[in-house]
Amino acid sequence: MLKWWQRTIVYEAYPSSFMDTNGDGLGDLQGLISKLGYLQSLGVGAIWLTPIYKSPMGDNGYDVADYYAINPLYGTMADMDQLLAAAKRHGIKIVMDLVVNHTSSECPWFQASSSGKDNDYSDWYIWRDGAEGGPPNNWGSIFGGSAWTWSEQRQQYYLHTFAPFQPDLNWENPKVRQAIYAVAQFWLAKGVGGFRIDAVPYIKKPQDYANGPVNPATGFAPIHNATANTEGILDFLHEFKQEVQGDRDIFTVGEANGVAAQQLPLWVGKDGVFDMIFEFSHLDVKFADGELWYKTKAWRLTELKQTIAASQANTSSNGWYPIFLENHDQPRSINSFLPEEADPILGAKALGMLLLTLRGTPFIYQGQELGMTNVDWTSIDCFNDLSTKNQYQLALDNGLTTTQAMKVMQKYSRDNARTPMQWSAQPNAGFTMGKPWLAVNANYKSVNAELEAEDKDSVLNWYRKLYSLRQEYEVLIEGDYKELLADSEEIFVYSRSTSTAKATVLINFTENTVSYPAELVEGTDPVLSNYENVQKGVLRPFEAVLYIALIK
Ligand code: NOJ
Ligand code: CA
């Protein structure tokens, strides 16, 4: 028996850019409330809300100052209670983002911890003396520079996997773990439907804090290589599971960059620690060095297919897979997975077909259902994201020209996904009456929800059709996954089967017309295609077709 969250569609909302109702240029909780009907019409059963806690917003909410308070930029606790109640009426659960690896440096826990070595919070973060006049070791943080920052007040260094204002919590301390579980309990009592757990592979550190091999391009040993998925982490997470989830009817999804598909059985399912984890192998195929956006490589479709097949295989009988092609840290999928020549509407539909027909729970990132694309900004000053600024500098330091570096940012900046949601052709895409905190993508007059709602061939209505097909054909939810034509560098083909039905999905990732053995779909009918007049055995550029046959 599948659980509710295995049958539904999850929508990731990035509140800053979703809908602004008070004209300050930043999205808010009332904005979310005003769009619940829209989300319901997409078949969304849960919204993963990126952090809305009180925060100085150095990393747009992933620097939490108070886990028990709502960021006043987004509204009040009364608004949050209203959102939970209104969402419930729409059949939608709210899933909170638990940022557990680190807090903001403005969190009172850190302020107490940095004030001295013998108070109740002294041991809540990771403090070390320096070595040889510098930081304790050579680790470099994910957002650039040393992973250690000196505290004048405490006369020691503290560790931060991300920015200096995001000090890492000390999970070795049971009081820290209890504090995190208490936060989760508070939100559970409010009726949330689950948690997305941020940056979870970093919570455990190897206790020798040894130097690592330096990446010459940054001058540091990447902290990711030193700490991600350190042995012993699962002990912490089993405790988390027991304390937070128990037998509640919620779901947990961990953000687990650094956990390989082959390790999935330890992380999800019966003996695992979460219901699902986001692993990143399908996004990493394009990078030659995960630390450096400018070091990309040409990738082949078979590489992408192999990563997806591995995740499908490792969750086929135990655990479950969260399907995602976009999130608030990734560029838009059309620009990531398809060649530049791709028609954006055909392309968005092709990728939408993949997202909603693989086996697992699809996570739609806001605007993906409209076919939103990357930005073409030409100055670094247009960007807000701190990691974009760091990557731009790294590209320049390593010899790229400003024009070349800008091209890299246009392709990989996290701000590509963070531009305001495109609701209509009104000024600022109908997102705000004021000045948006981040510029709207220039294409909003043709790519927007209002226009697409009226157009039966729009990307938005394609997503709605895929949702209703998932309702109609159980095979799309429960069916086993089997990859077909695995060696093709041009088309992605797979079937989904139960004892009573078989679905076959065919997606052309190229601008060429590609043929395939028509026997694959013999005796079955196309139920959805992004072209008219589907012909068996041939796929036109970026064509995506879903065939379904009922077995009598
Ligand atoms: C992953 C989040 O998705 C990202 O936005 C954030 O910057 C880091 N974790 C640090 O919390
Ligand atoms: Ca606002």
Side-chain angles (χ1 to χ4, degrees):
M1 254 297 271
L2 293 182
K3 306 229 169 83
W4 67 269
W5 50 266
Q6 294 175 297
R7 319 189 69 89
T8 197
I9 293 173
V10 182
Y11 190 87
E12 182 193 349
Y14 194 71
S16 289
S17 299
F18 190 65
M19 181 65 199
D20 176 28
T21 53
N22 64 354
D24 66 355
L26 202 80
D28 42 51
L29 295 178
Q30 286 300 330
L32 272 156
I33 294 170
S34 73
K35 298 294 184 185
L36 289 168
Y38 169 82
L39 296 179
Q40 188 176 8
S41 77
L42 264 176
V44 168
I47 301 172
W48 152 27
L49 210 54
T50 63
I52 41 105
Y53 316 100
K54 190 173 160 207
S55 160
M57 300 292 266
D59 187 19
N60 298 353
Y62 284 95
D63 43 337
V64 180
D66 183 350
Y67 293 90
Y68 296 95
I70 299 294
N71 189 334
L73 293 170
Y74 294 141
T76 61
M77 193 58 88
D79 293 323
M80 186 64 195
D81 292 335
Q82 192 188 336
L83 171 63
L84 284 158
K88 195 169 180 189
R89 287 196 295 277
H90 286 273
I92 297 176
K93 315 230 187 198
I94 301 292
V95 170
M96 297 294 274
D97 208 318
L98 269 190
V99 187
V100 298
N101 176 69
H102 48 270
T103 69
S104 159
S105 51
E106 290 184 21
C107 179
W109 302 344
F110 184 73
Q111 306 213 312
S113 194
S114 48
S115 73
K117 294 182 183 154
D118 53 10
N119 64 61
D120 287 350
Y121 292 87
S122 296
D123 197 20
W124 279 46
Y125 293 82
I126 299 168
W127 295 98
R128 290 287 182 279
D129 294 329
E132 295 155 24
N137 70 19
N138 66 359
W139 295 354
S141 83
I142 290 179
F143 289 158
S146 170
W148 298 93
T149 291
W150 175 252
S151 161
E152 266 308 317
Q153 215 183 355
R154 177 155 159 159
Q155 293 287 303
Q156 272 188 313
Y157 287 90
Y158 65 88
L159 183 71
H160 49 88
T161 300
F162 296 92
F165 56 80
Q166 292 167 302
D168 278 33
L169 284 162
N170 175 18
W171 271 69
E172 304 294 333
N173 181 345
K175 288 194 183 133
V176 168
R177 304 202 298 272
Q178 288 304 325
I180 296 289
Y181 309 148
V183 167
Q185 297 298 344
F186 171 83
W187 290 100
L188 286 168
K190 284 200 173 282
V192 303
F195 297 103
R196 177 262 189 189
I197 301 94
D198 183 65
V200 77
Y202 304 116
I203 60 170
K204 174 95 186 172
K205 312 330 187 225
Q207 294 301 300
D208 59 359
Y209 288 86
N211 283 329
V214 169
N215 184 338
T218 63
F220 292 101
I223 192 165
H224 173 88
N225 297 355
T227 65
N229 201 4
T230 293
E231 214 188 311
I233 188 172
L234 291 168
D235 298 337
F236 288 157
L237 293 173
H238 279 292
E239 183 184 87
F240 174 95
K241 181 182 182 182
Q242 198 185 340
E243 298 270 340
V244 172
Q245 188 161 25
D247 50 16
R248 288 188 180 83
D249 191 20
I250 59 164
F251 76 82
T252 57
V253 55
E255 187 205 26
N257 198 357
V259 177
Q262 293 67 24
Q263 297 165 318
L264 274 161
L266 295 175
W267 282 74
V268 300
K270 208 166 67 50
D271 302 319
V273 291
F274 296 126
D275 291 312
M276 303 178 264
I277 60 168
F278 293 121
E279 38 104 14
F280 287 76
S281 45
H282 63 302
L283 302 176
D284 290 342
V285 294
K286 53 188 185 255
F287 292 110
D289 177 336
E291 267 212 298
L292 304 167
W293 293 353
Y294 71 87
K295 283 211 177 160
T296 53
K297 63 173 170 61
W299 55 275
R300 285 173 292 116
L301 185 62
T302 46
E303 293 177 78
L304 178 72
K305 296 198 293 186
Q306 279 156 14
T307 60
I308 292 179
S311 312
Q312 293 278 324
N314 282 289
T315 51
S316 63
S317 56
N318 176 54
W320 197 250
Y321 182 61
I323 315 156
F324 78 107
L325 300 174
E326 292 188 17
N327 66 33
H328 65 284
D329 296 327
Q330 297 295 327
R332 291 293 183 176
S333 53
I334 306 178
N335 305 86
S336 300
F337 295 105
L338 298 178
E340 266 172 39
E341 316 75 65
D343 174 278
I345 297 181
L346 286 176
K349 289 179 178 176
L351 294 172
M353 172 88 85
L354 183 68
L355 185 69
L356 279 92
T357 62
L358 283 169
R359 184 168 185 275
T361 300
F363 281 67
I364 300 177
Y365 176 70
Q366 67 184 41
Q368 186 173 8
E369 77 281 16
L370 304 175
M372 281 179 65
T373 61
N374 280 359
V375 296
D376 56 5
W377 300 339
T378 50
S379 159
I380 191 67
D381 298 333
C382 301
F383 292 84
N384 161 278
D385 167 36
L386 77 169
S387 87
T388 304
K389 296 190 174 160
N390 173 52
Q391 290 288 338
Y392 182 71
Q393 195 53 50
L394 278 172
L396 295 181
D397 292 348
N398 286 280
L400 274 76
T401 64
T402 50
T403 316
Q404 289 168 329
M406 220 48 246
K407 280 226 143 46
V408 175
M409 300 308 120
Q410 287 170 355
K411 208 154 166 53
Y412 300 111
S413 170
R414 307 199 294 176
D415 285 338
N416 282 306
R418 298 178 180 186
T419 61
M421 180 70 179
Q422 293 166 205
W423 292 109
S424 72
Q426 298 295 311
N428 293 316
F431 159 73
T432 180
M433 303 291 276
K435 182 173 181 301
W437 72 282
L438 190 67
V440 171
N441 189 314
N443 64 11
Y444 72 92
K445 291 207 169 133
S446 53
V447 179
N448 68 64
E450 193 175 86
L451 200 76
E452 294 189 31
E454 299 304 314
D455 172 3
K456 69 172 183 24
D457 293 324
S458 67
V459 178
L460 177 60
N461 280 319
W462 175 265
Y463 270 79
R464 288 178 174 155
K465 266 178 232 155
L466 281 163
Y467 160 60
S468 55
L469 289 168
R470 286 172 62 91
Q471 296 295 102
E472 189 177 344
Y473 296 105
E474 182 64 22
V475 65
L476 293 175
I477 312 270
E478 265 197 71
D480 291 339
Y481 169 90
K482 180 163 172 239
E483 196 181 353
L484 305 165
L485 308 182
D487 295 333
S488 170
E489 294 292 0
E490 295 173 304
I491 62 178
F492 199 156
V493 185
Y494 50 91
S495 66
R496 303 282 314 278
S497 327
T498 60
S499 56
T500 55
K502 178 170 174 182
T504 308
V505 178
L506 302 110
I507 303 171
N508 184 354
F509 271 68
T510 74
E511 65 275 30
N512 308 323
T513 298
V514 180
S515 50
Y516 66 89
E519 304 89 80
L520 284 182
V521 292
E522 209 172 71
T524 106
D525 292 320
V527 296
L528 186 66
S529 159
N530 55 355
Y531 277 85
E532 303 280 313
N533 306 319
V534 175
Q535 202 193 325
K536 288 182 180 169
V538 178
L539 290 171
R540 288 157 285 186
F542 308 106
E543 182 162 4
V545 197
L546 169 63
Y547 287 86
I548 295 188
L550 298 177
I551 302 163
K552 291 182 192 91

